[in-house]
Amino acid sequence: IFFPPPPKKKKEVPMKVICYARCSTVHQNPDNQLNELRTAAERYGWTILKEYIDHGVSGKKGREQRPQFNAMMNSALRKEADLVMFWGIDRASRNLSHLVEMMSDLRSKNVGMYFHQQNIDSTTPSGRAMLSMAGVFAQFESEMLRERILASHERAKSEGKTIGRPSMINEALKTSIRYMREQGVGIKKIAAELHVGVGTVYKVINAPTTVI
């Protein structure tokens, strides 16, 4: 009687990953983010193919305004990796619409996402659900910041005072205008809500911006 040999076990191939780190200012160091991602990758047996780092770039900016983020996405969408690792959700994006767009693009190519601080792995159903909720709270935080900025303007106006140096008020106003414009608010509505002229709004959004 002939007994066929047992089937050979399929050798597991380590998951290929790429890491992305972002610092809001050029003075910050991304090493802490990357070191934790490297440690996590080693623990899970993942192979890091490449690391992408954006220095001095706001998380509110879109893909086209973040060179290394764009390069990372292009690499992932070419299926050069199975998973993209981030230190935290806010390192990927502070804008919910951008975050959802990124998730949709990566999922269309069956590329997963891992967020170290939140311990979220989007390759699992529970991870995808948690990621959606975390994105909502990230957007809520941005909205609360905007509300605090607007409240400080109204309080200063009603009291006839300025908060700190005048330049600080001006920078806060610019931040409000740019933020509202990024969210798709019209020029006239921005001017009305912030009690400034339409020309002021145009001047701010068309001027070169300093990354914060």
Side-chain angles (χ1 to χ4, degrees):
I1 300 175
F2 173 74
F3 293 99
K8 293 182 179 180
K9 290 185 178 180
K10 187 176 180 181
K11 186 178 181 180
E12 291 188 5
V13 179
M15 185 177 289
K16 297 179 294 182
V17 305
I18 51 181
C19 299
Y20 175 78
R22 180 185 62 78
C23 295
S24 297
T25 71
V26 295
H27 305 294
Q28 293 176 314
N29 192 326
D31 285 350
N32 288 340
Q33 297 178 39
L34 293 173
N35 286 336
E36 291 193 33
L37 293 181
R38 292 166 189 156
T39 299
E42 183 178 2
R43 182 171 64 250
Y44 290 116
W46 299 341
T47 300
I48 297 177
L49 301 181
K50 192 169 182 181
E51 296 173 347
Y52 295 87
I53 306 169
D54 272 317
H55 289 276
V57 180
S58 170
K60 294 179 182 178
K61 292 186 178 296
R63 174 175 167 180
E64 68 282 355
Q65 297 172 296
R66 298 160 64 184
Q68 287 298 295
F69 180 85
N70 189 47
M72 177 274 294
M73 287 294 295
N74 288 336
S75 175
L77 295 178
R78 289 194 298 266
K79 288 289 294 178
E80 295 176 357
D82 304 305
L83 187 81
V84 180
M85 299 183 73
F86 302 91
W87 184 75
I89 290 176
D90 63 336
R91 298 303 91 189
S93 180
R94 286 185 176 274
N95 182 295
L96 180 58
S97 62
H98 294 164
L99 183 65
V100 171
E101 181 181 2
M102 179 192 75
M103 291 174 59
S104 178
D105 288 345
L106 292 177
R107 288 182 64 184
S108 70
K109 297 296 182 179
N110 199 29
V111 175
M113 290 164 284
Y114 171 81
F115 298 90
H116 183 67
Q117 284 292 291
Q118 291 80 23
N119 193 27
I120 296 175
D121 181 352
S122 75
T123 61
T124 66
S126 60
R128 286 191 292 272
M130 291 179 65
L131 182 59
S132 297
M133 289 188 293
V136 170
F137 284 112
Q139 181 72 0
F140 176 73
E141 180 183 4
S142 293
E143 293 289 349
M144 290 298 293
L145 175 61
R146 170 178 170 267
E147 291 298 327
R148 286 195 293 270
I149 292 173
L150 296 180
S152 68
H153 292 165
E154 291 298 323
R155 184 170 63 253
K157 182 178 178 180
S158 65
E159 296 177 357
K161 299 177 181 179
T162 59
I163 305 174
R165 296 175 299 174
S167 60
M168 293 176 65
I169 294 269
N170 292 336
E171 284 303 316
L173 178 60
K174 291 177 183 178
T175 299
S176 297
I177 291 173
R178 288 171 183 149
Y179 176 82
M180 294 176 71
R181 188 57 178 166
E182 286 175 1
Q183 304 308 304
V185 181
I187 301 296
K188 291 183 179 179
K189 187 172 181 180
I190 294 175
E193 288 194 13
L194 299 180
H195 306 290
V196 297
V198 171
T200 299
V201 177
Y202 274 114
K203 184 176 180 180
V204 171
I205 64 176
N206 291 327
T209 61
T210 301
V211 176
I212 59 172

